[in-house]
Amino acid sequence: MTVQPTADRTVIAEVTTAPLDVAAHEAAVVDRRAGAVVTFQGVVRDHDHGRSVRALEYEGHPGAAEVLRTVAAEVAADPDVYAVAVSHRIGPLEIGEAALVVAVSTAHRAAAFAACARLVDEVKARLPIWKRQVFADGTEEWVNCP
């Protein structure tokens, strides 16, 4: 995991082929001032728009890690945020595995939920990672590239 101190916060941002560890992300944002820690786990599901998914693979642009670090730093710069941790997986994933993990700590739950949602939304909107889905009928599609 890549750890970068920024001001009063620790930002963890990583694009990796390794399985993602939700507990490690949660532990990374622990702060004695925090009254709230919110985590999110985006998990590979077995269907998409009514079609059965058999396999899934993520492919990342070489600059994806830098984009992820930028997005994480933007959210961490919010004065209500104490720390953020975010990782996105690339390569082949199995049904049920985490593709995206986010953890955020703040003083209060509303700010933590908002920061976590913002981080997930910005990652989905800006991260140059493509998702290849293979369906049960043998067809496939590439999706989610900003």
Side-chain angles (χ1 to χ4, degrees), residues 17-89:
T17 58
L20 303 181
D21 183 345
V22 177
H25 284 70
E26 189 173 277
V29 301
V30 168
D31 187 298
R32 292 177 57 99
R33 301 167 298 164
V37 173
V38 171
T39 59
F40 171 82
Q41 184 176 191
V43 178
V44 177
R45 60 183 178 267
D46 68 356
H47 67 280
D48 189 34
H49 295 97
R51 300 175 70 192
S52 181
V53 173
R54 184 180 62 194
L56 189 137
E57 179 179 6
Y58 286 96
E59 188 171 313
H61 183 277
E66 183 59 34
V67 172
L68 189 61
R69 284 190 291 272
T70 298
V71 170
E74 289 171 4
V75 173
D78 181 327
D80 289 334
V81 173
Y82 295 143
V84 302
V86 56
S87 295
H88 200 296
R89 183 106 177 260

Side-chain angles (χ1 to χ4, degrees), residues 40 71 74-75 86 100 102 113-127 146:
F40 171 82
V71 170
E74 289 171 4
V75 173
V86 56
L100 173 65
V102 173
F113 280 115
C116 187
R118 177 178 170 217
L119 186 51
V120 170
D121 290 345
E122 289 296 316
V123 165
K124 300 250 326 155
R126 295 167 50 189
L127 193 63

Side-chain angles (χ1 to χ4, degrees), residues 88-114:
H88 200 296
R89 183 106 177 260
I90 56 173
L93 278 78
E94 299 293 325
I95 304 300
E97 288 189 298
L100 173 65
V101 171
V102 173
V104 177
S105 63
T106 67
H108 303 286
R109 70 180 177 274
F113 280 115

